[in-house]
Amino acid sequence: MPRAAPPALLLPLLGLAAAAAADCPSSTWVQFQDSCYIFLQEAIKVESIEDVRNQCTNHGADMISIHNEEENAFILDTLKKQWKDPADILLGMFFDTDDASFKWFDNSNMTFNKWSDQEDGEELVDTCAFLHTKTGDWKKGNCEVSSVEGTLCKAANNRILISALVIAGTVILTVLGAVVWFLYKRSLDSGFTTVFSTAHQSPYNDDCVLVVAEENEYDIQFN
């Protein structure tokens, strides 16, 4: 028995889901393993690292996190070949003073590091991390940057899939709402037509009713 075709309204949703699961959103993104990367080459003035991070979240991603030597090498290679590498790239990392450790903004585990300036006892409050694009080493710097030459963002494929599903779901719900409203208004209009068309109609017009009433009154007076 052949399977029924999916409803027409679900086709865009299924298409987006398949595309997001199989690949990155567009040719401006680069895929490596199970993540997609984009380098926003626009130089921007910023007041804090959160302004830099907003550049990524606006694209459904977050600032870059790096978890092994292969990923670090991939980023360096792609920066040189495709992204016109600046000297340093701000990593999506911050120093958490609560437990005195570095953490990634995307909440992934800190499984790898490539510090070139690791020192014991150094003051790390308001410290962020930068990737030196010539050597691949990481170095510490102040989070209070005033400008960046570009922003490197990363998104897992499942995150892109979720974003695509949310967008497609919103579109479908909007269309369904419009269809339901149209059908509701149409049923109301047809209901009023039915009421007026089926109302009881007298076989006499107003003049005939008046004459009959006068004749009845005349008969009463003489009986």
Side-chain angles (χ1 to χ4, degrees), residues 164-176:
L165 291 176
V166 169
I167 294 170
T170 302
V171 171
I172 290 173
L173 288 176
T174 302
V175 172
L176 284 174

Side-chain angles (χ1 to χ4, degrees), residues 7 10 18 73 82 95 111 119 140 145 152 189 203-204 206:
L10 291 180
Q82 293 186 228
F95 184 77
T111 57
E119 296 179 12
K140 301 178 182 71
V145 293
L152 185 55
D189 294 340
Y204 306 105
D206 291 342

